[in-house]
Amino acid sequence: MASIVIFLVLTVALAVQTVRLTLAEGRLGFRTPGSKTLGGGHGAYILCLIAALLLVREAYTMATVNVSKENERLWYPLFALPELLAVIFYATPGLVPPRSELPK
């Protein structure tokens, strides 16, 4: 139970930081509209979507922690699908810089 609460708190902190990044990016103009990749132009919004998907997953986990029988009709769309979509969105071209662009 404690580990689920810890992961929920960390996911909420991740979501808050992501929203702050998105707001700062819009206000300060960090976005590069001429970017040729989807992740380069809309990266902060994709990260907000990933944070929302992870929040759905952790909220479902927290809500069903004491349920002895898992309901598969809810488990797949509320637990497995958000996690799978988050992994797919992390693979968006340009979202994560290549190793050659990272400082050494």
Side-chain angles (χ1 to χ4, degrees):
M1 177 70 174
S3 64
I4 294 172
V5 173
I6 290 171
F7 277 119
L8 182 64
V9 168
L10 290 175
T11 305
V12 168
L14 169 80
V16 168
Q17 290 294 330
T18 305
V19 169
R20 288 181 59 202
L21 167 76
T22 305
L23 294 175
E25 182 178 272
R27 186 176 59 244
L28 300 175
F30 289 135
R31 222 171 52 195
T32 55
S35 178
K36 296 179 182 177
T37 62
L38 183 64
H42 304 286
Y45 301 115
I46 294 170
L47 290 174
C48 279
L49 180 62
I50 291 170
L53 288 169
L54 293 176
L55 274 175
V56 167
R57 179 186 177 277
E58 289 302 322
Y60 176 76
T61 304
M62 185 70 185
T64 60
V65 69
N66 291 327
V67 176
S68 61
K69 184 180 178 200
E70 288 285 332
N71 187 352
E72 287 186 17
R73 289 180 297 145
L74 295 176
W75 187 84
Y76 286 108
L78 295 176
F79 186 85
L81 185 62
E83 188 170 353
L84 177 65
L85 290 175
V87 170
I88 290 170
F89 285 128
Y90 268 123
T92 302
L95 186 63
V96 178
R99 287 188 182 261
S100 61
E101 292 182 13
L102 295 176
K104 294 189 180 214

